[in-house]
Structure formats: structure tokens, C-alpha cells
Amino acid sequence: MSEEEVLYDERIWLDGCWDFFHHGHAGAMLQARQLGSELYVGVHSDEDILSNKGPTVMNQDERLAAVDACRWVTKSVPDAPYVTELPFIGKYHCKYVVHGDDVTSDSNGEDCYRFVKQAGRFKVVKRTPSISTTDLVGRMLLCTKTHFITSLERALAGLEGHGTEEDRKAEGEAMMTRIRQYATDKNGKDPGVDVFFWSASEAAKADDTEEETGTFRQLLKGKGVKPGQRVVYVDGGYDLFSSGHIEFLRQVVLAEEELARKDGWYDQQAVDERVGKGEDYGPVFVVAGVHDDRVINNWKGVNYPIMNIYERGLCVLQCRYVHAVIFGAPFTPTKSYLTTLPWGTPDAVYHGPTAFIPLSYDPYTAPKKMGIFKQISVHKFQDVNAGSIVQRIMHSRDLYEERQRKKGVKAVGETAHRKREMLEEEQRRKEEQMGITQQ
């Protein structure tokens, strides 16, 4: 398609590797979406990334799943060229290309966006501070815990964190601003996701011994539950938010859509009634409970979670399959907890097949007794979780360290690598001794 053919000012193009997706990637997508009414996102092939940058942690299918799940993305485009070409983006009628304020070069050291820039069709957005794939790989290899947050509420208020009181306050305000931004709806501007904190004793959050109601506090008001929608609850750590989490959430929505189809939700009359009252919408309202850092570390050890609750929460907030987020959700959703949710007792509680958190008991006893428990049994990404991603890094350490060196990050060396292996092995033995099963 020639450049003379139609190009839409409002259709934005953004491309990248999007390797194990984090909130920095989502931040670029949000800013790009705010520049237009549609966002097309190109995803480079594994082969192109390997020859230009180094090995990917996630394969293209896994990276596409992450892009497709972002609320602000209109369409993903696989096999996008590493050097952005005008004829290629012209096929999708995109006039403007967006990228962060860092320079991206190909294997020859040339600017990947040189053709777009020469054509005057390049726009710059700010790079998200304090997060990158390189940072996350470093946490894995060095086994650090300095990223942990004890209380997200206190961190947002400037009462927890590093530096001076003034530094903590500024950081808390910046974090709050980002949470508000990531809780927007598909246009990236209006409120979309409900956000709550749940406060309770440590015992109520971490194990199954405390039947405690706790306290919900609303942080942000979103669109809320609409007439006829079923409220469903899911929970987890969502560490290194990946295709395993995403596909589970997508399957939950699909399962609820199938139930709704049988009940006539998609009949023309029902659709017309919803449209007549404002706009059409889906049949399900998904509430995602996100566990605290110390709760996950209590169960999984080493330096899990690799992402702290703020970073994990932002990943969940930007996901199109989620409509509400509860920070600090209990590891065991008890009857007291479920029946006091701000949206009322959920119509269903879903659990997936991913095997990461080791369990010595069934945390879903209450929803099973209540008759609202549902299982997503299998899906194609069920073995992708934080543990398996860390293992991918460990097994290809030399390749990833070379990638780190190219980014100017000092290699961690054999000692740190061996330390990680020993900590992981120690955790596995501990779980075996306890007779723990993986769920």
C-alpha cells in the first residue's frame, strides 16, 4: 500500500518486544492510546528480537497474549518488523508512530524509527520510571528483596519507602497518580476500574485460621456493576503478570459469556435494551483480589514476588478482563470475606490450573461449601508462572547476562547464580517435606 492511500490521524501505531509484560509496557500503551481513538500494537518476532537485541524470555504467542489483554489496545499485529517501515504500518492505515523517549537501535546500531522520523510521523511519550525488563531480570539473578512493600496504603501516603520524608511523599503521590491512570477505561481517560483496599490481621491475610470480616476502603470509583451483570471473584499473586494469568482471566470471561448466551444476554432485544439505556456491555464483572508481598513470600520463599504489590496491581488494573481490584486480598477467601465484598456475595469464585503457590490445605473450602466455586481446568498457558519464568532465566543465564551487559548492567556472576539455585532447591525440599501440593 502506497503512502498516498488513506492514513488515519486517530489510529496510532506502537511496536515493541513486550517481553514478560510489566506496567512500563502498559504505560507506553496508555500514553499512546490517549493520543488517538485507536491503538494498533506491533509485536516483533522471536527471531527478529534475537538477532537485534538478544533472547526473549517469552515466546511470541505469550507476548501477543499480553498485548491483546491490555485494555487500551485495539488490535495486535504479530511479526512487526524490528525497524519500523512506512509501507508496513500503512497497511493498517496508521499515520503516527509512538515510542518512549529512549533510543532503540537495530543490530547495526541504527535508529529503529529513522524512516518514521524522516517522514515527520513520530511522536514521543515518557518512559515509565523505576521498571524495566532489565530491572526484573536483575531481581531474579540477585535474589534481592528491597522491592518489597509492607503496606501499599502507607506507601501511597508517603509513610513507607526509601529516602527522606519529602522523597517518600513525592513517590507516594506519583504511585497514586499511576494507579489512577491505569484504572481508566478503554479510552485511557475516564474512570473504569473500581479499586479497594482490604485491611485485616496478618493471620486473616496469610492463612486459613482466622474467620475475619476485615475492612474494605475504596481508593478509586470506577464504572461499577451494571444491571444484569454477574459478579465473579478471582484471586492470586499475579507475579510477573504473564500469559498464564491472562489466559485464566480470559477463560473466566468466556465461561461467563457462555452462561449469559444461554440466558439470552446476546438476543437482539436484550442488546437493544442495553444500547437504548446508554451503551452495550458484557455480562460479567470480574473482581480480582491481589495478595500482599509478605503473603506470597510466606508461601513461596526465596525473593518471591519478583514484582511488588504495586507493580503487580498495575498489571492487573490494565487488563481488559478485570473490572475491580482489591489490594491486600486474603490468601483464603473465607465466607466472612466473600459475603462482605463491596459488590455483595459473588455469584462465582473461580480458580485456575496454574501450579505456582504451594498449598498445605484447600483455601477454597468456603466458596465450595457456598456452592459458588468454579474451576478453569486447563488452558494452553497453564504452566507459565513466575516460577517457570525464573527457571527460563536461570537456564539461559549466559545469554541474559550478555543482554544485561549491553544495557550497561554489571554481570552478577556465578556466585549469585548458584545462590539462587540453592534457595530455589531449599524451597522445593521444604515443600516436599511438608507434603505440600501445588495448585
Side-chain angles (χ1 to χ4, degrees), residues 63-196:
R63 293 182 288 112
L64 277 166
V67 171
D68 286 333
C70 180
R71 180 177 287 109
W72 307 300
V73 173
T74 306
K75 179 182 176 63
S76 66
V77 180
D79 299 313
Y82 201 81
V83 176
T84 308
E85 300 165 353
L86 295 175
F88 188 86
I89 64 172
K91 289 192 298 184
Y92 299 94
H93 307 288
C94 299
K95 183 170 182 180
Y96 293 108
V97 175
V98 169
H99 188 65
D101 50 12
D102 54 328
V103 176
T104 303
S105 304
D106 61 15
S107 56
N108 298 318
E110 293 189 83
D111 189 338
C112 290
Y113 297 97
R114 56 189 181 273
F115 303 123
V116 180
K117 290 177 179 178
Q118 288 165 10
R121 290 165 56 183
F122 186 73
K123 295 189 176 187
V124 177
V125 294
K126 291 182 179 179
R127 193 171 179 278
T128 304
S130 306
I131 188 72
S132 70
T133 302
T134 306
D135 294 333
L136 295 173
V137 171
R139 291 179 193 177
M140 293 178 201
L141 295 175
L142 291 168
C143 300
T144 54
K145 293 184 182 180
T146 53
H147 59 283
F148 282 12
I149 292 176
T150 303
S151 167
L152 182 57
E153 274 194 279
R154 286 179 57 80
L156 294 179
L159 300 174
E160 179 187 331
H162 305 288
T164 65
E165 181 180 342
E166 190 174 324
D167 292 337
R168 291 192 297 272
K169 185 178 179 183
E171 179 63 15
E173 289 173 353
M175 290 166 69
M176 186 63 228
T177 296
R178 200 162 298 282
I179 289 174
R180 186 176 286 106
Q181 290 170 339
Y182 284 46
T184 54
D185 67 2
K186 64 182 180 181
N187 65 22
K189 297 173 183 176
D190 300 321
V193 184
D194 287 348
V195 183
F196 281 80

Side-chain angles (χ1 to χ4, degrees), residues 337-358:
Y337 172 77
L338 293 171
T339 55
T340 55
L341 288 176
W343 310 271
T345 302
D347 295 288
V349 173
Y350 280 85
H351 181 56
T354 50
F356 175 57
I357 297 288

